[in-house]
C-alpha cells in the first residue's frame, strides 16, 4: 500500500512528465493558451494514459518479455511498434466516444485529439513503464503489477494536467504583461515553464 | 466523392495492412537477431569494465578490458546469505555470478568475483540501492582479510549531474574508499558515508559528495545493507 | 543538374534558419530538451533524428500513391516505428554508452512531432527526392538546436565540451564555479526560450 501511495505522488510531483522529462511539450505549449482547453486536454491525456499504460503493461509482461510466448525468444524489439499501435487505436476509440457524447469538448479540442496519438507523454509513459518493470522491487519507482501500472498512469496524467492547467492560467494573466516583442508567445512560455520546473525541483527526493 | 478510388476499398486496405505487418515483422526480426550478439557483448563488457574499475583498473579500451577481466577474475561465484557457495563459477566467468541482477541480490542470491590482482586475492562484491532519482549500484573490491576495502566503483541511472552524479564521475571520490575498514570487532558494518563535519571515525567513514546529501545517504544505506549480506562470507 | 534545382535548395535551406522546426514550428521539443545536458548525446540524437526523418520521408513518399487514405496515419506510424527500432538496435550494438544515456528517448523519436508533421505536410504530396531532402534538412535543423543547447549546457554546467575540459584551471583557481543548475532539466527550457528570443529578434526585426 505504501508503495502505491509513494508511486502515485512521485509520479505527480517528482517524476512529472513535463517538468522532469519534458514529455508532451508540443501539445502542451500549443494548447495551454487558456485554462478551459487546458483542462480538457489534460483530462483526455490522463484518460488515454490510464487505458494505454495498463494495456501495454500486460502486453509487455505476457507477450514481449523474454521467455513469455516461446521459451528462449525475446520479442522486446517489437515493443515500439506494438505500443504505438495500441496507443493509436485507443486514441481513435476515445476520439469517437468524445465526438459522440460531448460535441462541445470535441469542438474545443479540435485537432488535438488525434495529436494525442503522437503525444510523447503517452508513449513515454509506456516506455518508462517498460523500463521500471526491471527495477528492483524496493524502489519507489518500481512497477510490478497492473495496479502499479494504473497508479503510475493516473499519477502521470494528473501531473501533466496540473502542469498544463497552471501554464494555461499563467498565460491568461501574461496577456496583460509587457513582454519584449521577440520574446512574446513561445519564448516567454518556455522561460515560464523553466521557472516552474525549477520550483518543482523542491519535491525531489520526496519520500512518504 | 463521385468515383471510389481503388486505394479506398476495404479489401485493398486489409491486404495492404497485412502485407505491411509481415514485411515489417520480418525486417525487424532480421535486424534484431543479427545485432543481438553485438549488443550482448556490449552489455557484458560494460559490466566487466565496472568490475575492473572497482579493482582500480581503469581507462582500458574494449579489447584490453575483456582480456584483463579474463586474466584477473578467477571465479564469478554465487553464494547465499550464510556465506556458502551455490555455484563456484569459472575463470573469466560470464555464466554464474555474472548473470545475477539486483532482484537476485534482494532474494539472497549473491555474486562474488574472486580476483587475483598481482598475486593477491581480492573479492569484488556488487551492491544495489536507491539514490535521489533512481537506482544506484556499485562494485566494491575487498582485500583478502575480508575487512579492508581495496577499491570501489559506483554508478547510477539518473542522479543530478555535477552533484549526485559525482559518485560515478569523480574518481577522486571513489578513491577515498580505499583502505577503509568495513566491520567492527563483532562484525557490525561500520562503513558509512557521512557529511564531512559528522565524520568521527575516519577509518571507516567516508566524506559525502558536497551538495548531494540524499544521494550520499543512498550510497551509505546501500553499503550498510550490502555488507551485512556479505558479512558471513567475508568474515569466514 | 536536377539535384541543385532551386526547389531543392529552398526545401533544404528553409528548415535550417527561418522555418526551423524547433524554434518556429515548436515541433519535437520533448526530446530536444531531455537529451541536451551534454553535447555528445545531443549530437547522436540529432543524427538519429536526421536519418529517421530523411528515410521515413523517402519511404512514405515512394509509397504515397498506394497508401489507403483511411489508414495513412497507421502506415506512417508503422514505418517510423520500424525505423526507430532499427536505429535503437544499431545504437545498442555499436554505441552502447550513448544508448544508455539516451535511454527511452530513442523510442520517443516515434512520437517526435517533426516526423509526423513532415510526413503529413510534405512527403504525402512531393516526389521522393524532394521529400528525402526535406526530411534531412528538418532533421538537421532540429539537430542544430540540440547541439547549440547541448553545447551551452555542457560548457556552463561542467566546463567541458564532449568530455574535454574547456574552462582553464586558472579560472577555477580564481573562484570560477561550474553552474550545476545548467545540467538540470529546468535550464534546458530557459536556454531554449532565450534562443527563440535571439532567433526572433534577428529574423523578424523588420516586421511591423
Amino acid at each position: 500500500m505504501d508503495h502505491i501511495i509513494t508511486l502515485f505522488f512521485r509520479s505527480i510531483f517528482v517524476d512529472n512528465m513535463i517538468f522532469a522529462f519534458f514529455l508532451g511539450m508540443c501539445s502542451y505549449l500549443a494548447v495551454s493558451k487558456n485554462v478551459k482547453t487546458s483542462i480538457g486536454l489534460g483530462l483526455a491525456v490522463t484518460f488515454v494514459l490510464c487505458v494505454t499504460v495498463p494495456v501495454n503493461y500486460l502486453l509487455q509482461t505476457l507477450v514481449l518479455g523474454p521467455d513469455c510466448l516461446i521459451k528462449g525468444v525475446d520479442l522486446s524489439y517489437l515493443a515500439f511498434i506494438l505500443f504505438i499501435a495500441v496507443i493509436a487505436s485507443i486514441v481513435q476509440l476515445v476520439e469517437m466516444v468524445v465526438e459522440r457524447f460531448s460535441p462541445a469538448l470535441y469542438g474545443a479540442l479540435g485537432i488535438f485529439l488525434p495529436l494525442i496519438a503522437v503525444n510523447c507523454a503517452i508513449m513515454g509513459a509506456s516506455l518508462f513503464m517498460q523500463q521500471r518493470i526491471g527495477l528492483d522491487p524496493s524502489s519507489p519507482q518500481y512497477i510490478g503489477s497492473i495496479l502499479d501500472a494504473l497508479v503510475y498512469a493516473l499519477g502521470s496524467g494528473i501531473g501533466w494536467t496540473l502542469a498544463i492547467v497552471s501554464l494555461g492560467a499563467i498565460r491568461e494573466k501574461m496577456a496583460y504583461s509587457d513582454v519584449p516583442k521577440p520574446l512574446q508567445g513561445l519564448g516567454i512560455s518556455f522561460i515560464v515553464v523553466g521557472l516552474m520546473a525549477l520550483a518543482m525541483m523542491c519535491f525531489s527526493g520526496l519520500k512518504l | 466523392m463521385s468515383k471510389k478510388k481503388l486505394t479506398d476499398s476495404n479489401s485493398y486496405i486489409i491486404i495492404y495492412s497485412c502485407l505491411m505487418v509481415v514485411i515489417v515483422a520480418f525486417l525487424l526480426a532480421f535486424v534484431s537477431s543479427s545485432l543481438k550478439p553485438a549488443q550482448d557483448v556490449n552489455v557484458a563488457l560494460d559490466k566487466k569494465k565496472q568490475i575492473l574499475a572497482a579493482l582500480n583498473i581503469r581507462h582500458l579500451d574494449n579489447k584490453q578490458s575483456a582480456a584483463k577481466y579474463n586474466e584477473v577474475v578467477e571465479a564469478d561465484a554465487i553464494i547465499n546469505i550464510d556465506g556458502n557457495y551455490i555455484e563456484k563459477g569459472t575463470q573469466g566467468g560470464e555464466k554464474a555470478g555474472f548473470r545475477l541482477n539486483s532482484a537476485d541480490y534482494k532474494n539472497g542470491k549473491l555474486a562474488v568475483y574472486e580476483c587475483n590482482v598481482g598475486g593477491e586475492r581480492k573479492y569484488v562484491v556488487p551492491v544495489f540501492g536507491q539514490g535521489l532519482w533512481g537506482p544506484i549500484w556499485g562494485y566494491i573490491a575487498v582485500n583478502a582479510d575480508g575487512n579492508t576495502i581495496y577499491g570501489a566503483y559506483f554508478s547510477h541511472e539518473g542522479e543530478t549531474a555535477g552533484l549526485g552524479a559525482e559518485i560515478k564521475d569523480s574518481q577522486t571520490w571513489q578513491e577515498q574508499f580505499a583502505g577503509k575498514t568495513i566491520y567492527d570487532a563483532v562484525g557490525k558494518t561500520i562503513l558509512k558515508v557521512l557529511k564531512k563535519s559528522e565524520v568521527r571515525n575516519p577509518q571507516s567513514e567516508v566524506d559525502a559528495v558536497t551538495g548531494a546529501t540524499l544521494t550520499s545517504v543512498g550510497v551509505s544505506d546501500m553499503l550498510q545493507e550490502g555488507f551485512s549480506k556479505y558479512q558471513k562470507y567475508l568474515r569466514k | 543538374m536536377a539535384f541543385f534545382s532551386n526547389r531543392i535548395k529552398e526545401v533544404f535551406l528553409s528548415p535550417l534558419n527561418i522555418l526551423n522546426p524547433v524554434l518556429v514550428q515548436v515541433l519535437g521539443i520533448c526530446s530536444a530538451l531531455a537529451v541536451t545536458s551534454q553535447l555528445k548525446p545531443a549530437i547522436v540524437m540529432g543524427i538519429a533524428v536526421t536519418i529517421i526523418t530523411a528515410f521515413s520521408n523517402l519511404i512514405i513518399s515512394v509509397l504515397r500513391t498506394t497508401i489507403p487514405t483511411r489508414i495513412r496515419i497507421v502506415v506512417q506510424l508503422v514505418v517510423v516505428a520500424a525505423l526507430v527500432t532499427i536505429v535503437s538496435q544499431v545504437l545498442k550494438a555499436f554505441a552502447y554508452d550513448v544508448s544508455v544515456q539516451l535511454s527511452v528517448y530513442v523510442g520517443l523519436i516515434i512520437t517526435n512531432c517533426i516526423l509526423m508533421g513532415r510526413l503529413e505536410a510534405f512527403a504525402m504530396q512531393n516526389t521522393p527526392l524532394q521529400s528525402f531532402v526535406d526530411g534531412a534538412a528538418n532533421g538537421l535543423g532540429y539537430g542544430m538546436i540540440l547541439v547549440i543547447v547541448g553545447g551551452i549546457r555542457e560548457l556552463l554546467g561542467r566546463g567541458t565540451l564532449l568530455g574535454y575540459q574547456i574552462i582553464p584551471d586558472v579560472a577555477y583557481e580564481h573562484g570560477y564555479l561550474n553552474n550545476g543548475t545548467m545540467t538540470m532539466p529546468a535550464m534546458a527550457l530557459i536556454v531554449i526560450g532565450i534562443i527563440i528570443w535571439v532567433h526572433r529578434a534577428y529574423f523578424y526585426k523588420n516586421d511591423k
Side-chain angles (χ1 to χ4, degrees), chain B residues 38-88:
Chain B
Q39 294 172 2
D40 291 344
V41 167
N42 276 328
V43 175
L45 200 61
D46 186 55
K47 195 165 179 177
K48 287 177 183 173
K49 280 187 181 167
Q50 298 186 21
I51 294 168
L52 289 175
L55 292 161
N56 302 324
I57 304 170
R58 295 169 194 251
H59 311 298
L60 295 182
D61 68 25
N62 291 349
K63 249 201 183 131
Q64 289 169 319
S65 311
K68 194 80 188 167
Y69 178 85
N70 280 337
E71 177 200 325
V72 166
V73 176
E74 295 189 320
D76 57 330
I78 304 177
I79 57 160
N80 62 17
I81 209 107
D82 297 320
N84 299 321
Y85 285 99
I86 298 176
E87 247 180 87
K88 286 274 185 205

Side-chain angles (χ1 to χ4, degrees), chain B residues 7-8 12 16 39 42 161, chain C residues 66 68-70 89 92-93 158:
Chain B
T7 52
D8 281 336
Y12 181 85
Y16 195 93
Q39 294 172 2
N42 276 328
Chain C
T66 71
T69 335
R70 268 192 281 164
Q89 301 277 343
K92 269 189 207 147
R158 297 164 182 246

Side-chain angles (χ1 to χ4, degrees), chain B residues 4-5 7-10 12-13 16-17 20 24 27-28 31-32 35 38-39 42-43 46 160-163 165 169, chain C residues 63 65-71 74-75 78-79 81-82 85-86 88-96 158 180 183-184:
Chain B
K4 221 178 170 192
K5 277 194 295 179
T7 52
D8 281 336
S9 78
N10 281 337
Y12 181 85
I13 291 181
Y16 195 93
S17 28
M20 182 175 74
V24 167
L27 183 69
L28 290 186
V31 169
S32 153
L35 292 177
Q39 294 172 2
N42 276 328
V43 175
D46 186 55
T160 319
L163 298 171
D169 298 336
Chain C
L63 296 177
T65 48
T66 71
I67 297 175
T69 335
R70 268 192 281 164
I71 60 162
V74 179
V75 175
V78 169
V79 168
T85 312
I86 293 174
S88 114
Q89 301 277 343
V90 169
L91 274 182
K92 269 189 207 147
F94 299 110
Y96 181 74
R158 297 164 182 246
T183 62
M184 309 233 179

Side-chain angles (χ1 to χ4, degrees), chain C residues 25 34 39-41 53 85 105 143 150 152 168 177:
Chain C
Q25 308 173 38
L39 193 50
K40 194 174 165 198
T53 36
T85 312
Y105 290 97
I152 293 176
L177 280 177

